[in-house]
Amino acid sequence: MPTDDDEKTILRSVLDQLRNSIADKVDGVPEPQVRTGGVPSGTSLLGLLKHLASVERFYFLGEEPADWQATMRPSAEDTVESLRAEYRKTVERANVIIDACPDLKLPAPRARCRGPVPSMRWVLVHMIEETGRHAGHADILRERVDGSTGR
């Protein structure tokens, strides 16, 4: 991990580590366990991956989903491969926006129907928190499936 780089590089590096962690948590998890809720709320590994792709699109690309609750529920057509590919493509698009931002004080893209636009710095820190929080959820869900732990 870079330690002497500029703030944006460090924030993106931390976020990228968390992004990779969440994308890797679905590896090797068979159906139906990968989509089965492992806690009373119904949260599943595939649901977390689908949700985080929606959150990335919202904060970095200005795309708001029609139904936030639906972002946590994989459809019957969603697969590990399709959702991971969608997530990675979304991350690539988000990174283009992050990299193009010359100053973290500038506003991040935002869906039109929302209130004040946060700075890119706020969005990066928020996405580290959001992705880290859900990576922890994924750790617990994965451990419940097959005992696998760690990043």
Side-chain angles (χ1 to χ4, degrees):
M1 174 177 296
T3 57
D4 294 332
D5 289 324
D6 63 278
E7 179 184 15
K8 181 169 64 171
T9 301
I10 292 169
L11 291 172
R12 197 182 126 196
S13 175
V14 171
L15 180 57
D16 283 341
Q17 282 186 323
L18 292 167
R19 288 163 160 170
N20 288 331
S21 176
I22 196 82
D24 291 344
K25 279 295 166 185
V26 297
D27 279 342
V29 180
E31 290 284 356
Q33 290 95 330
V34 73
R35 70 179 60 249
T36 302
V39 292
S41 68
T43 302
S44 70
L45 288 165
L46 273 187
L48 289 171
L49 195 59
K50 183 173 186 166
H51 173 69
L52 282 170
S54 296
V55 175
E56 292 264 352
R57 283 192 299 274
F58 175 72
Y59 279 110
F60 293 118
L61 307 175
E63 300 172 15
E64 185 164 14
D67 179 1
W68 276 106
Q69 293 290 340
T71 68
M72 290 292 286
R73 295 186 303 271
S75 71
E77 294 78 32
D78 289 331
T79 65
V80 168
E81 293 77 22
S82 69
L83 287 181
R84 187 173 30 222
E86 177 186 335
Y87 182 67
R88 292 205 187 275
K89 181 178 178 182
T90 299
V91 165
E92 286 176 17
R93 290 175 58 208
N95 282 345
V96 168
I97 300 299
I98 295 166
D99 293 345
C101 182
D103 185 339
L104 296 181
K105 293 178 191 171
L106 294 174
R110 190 64 179 257
R112 291 182 196 178
C113 64
R114 292 291 178 139
V117 179
S119 70
M120 181 61 79
R121 176 179 288 109
W122 184 91
V123 170
L124 283 166
V125 171
H126 175 70
M127 286 304 301
I128 288 167
E129 181 273 333
E130 178 84 5
T131 308
R133 179 172 172 255
H134 289 313
H137 295 147
D139 288 341
I140 292 166
L141 292 173
R142 180 63 190 259
E143 186 174 0
R144 292 195 70 203
V145 168
D146 64 7
S148 176
T149 61
R151 292 182 186 242

